[in-house]
Amino acid sequence: MAMLHTVNKSPFERNSLESCLRLAKSGSSVLLTEDGVVGAMQGTKYSKNVADAMTNVSFYVLGPDLKARGLSESNIVDGVKVVDYSGFVDLAAEHESVQAWL
């Protein structure tokens, strides 16, 4: 079973997303939460890195955290899936382990 990586810091604040993308193995999943949801937005210097990583890694973003920050689901990188809290729990249950990038 693959690992679920969670990133809760903005890529503009910390390098958590970059580290995660560098070390995530093929078949893993990445869930962006809290300020980490900024990493899923189109048109940033990180959007190409996320799009490129999706060839080997599945990407998810927590919808309530997008809304709490005034960000729209229509502006996320193509292929990133939006999940709710129930979806977050499902992802955690479906993966063998969870790595939180702080």
Side-chain angles (χ1 to χ4, degrees):
M1 227 186 236
M3 181 179 286
L4 174 64
H5 300 267
T6 62
V7 178
N8 70 342
K9 301 296 182 200
S10 168
F12 294 98
E13 177 188 354
R14 298 210 182 151
N15 65 352
S16 304
L17 179 59
E18 290 178 68
S19 297
C20 172
L21 295 179
R22 188 176 67 249
L23 298 172
K25 293 185 177 177
S26 181
S28 297
S29 297
V30 176
L31 173 63
L32 304 173
T33 65
E34 301 175 13
D35 289 342
V37 299
V38 174
M41 303 311 295
Q42 293 179 348
T44 72
K45 68 180 193 178
Y46 300 101
S47 55
K48 182 178 183 325
N49 295 347
V50 169
D52 290 347
M54 282 195 287
T55 58
N56 298 316
V57 176
S58 299
F59 266 83
Y60 301 88
V61 64
L62 193 60
D65 287 350
L66 278 175
K67 289 181 184 172
R69 284 151 183 83
L71 301 172
S72 172
E73 292 181 18
S74 64
N75 292 332
I76 61 174
V77 173
D78 289 339
V80 175
K81 299 174 187 97
V82 179
V83 297
D84 57 13
Y85 291 112
S86 177
F88 186 163
V89 172
D90 290 343
L91 285 170
E94 293 168 2
H95 291 78
E96 182 176 341
S97 58
V98 178
Q99 170 67 49
W101 294 87
L102 306 174

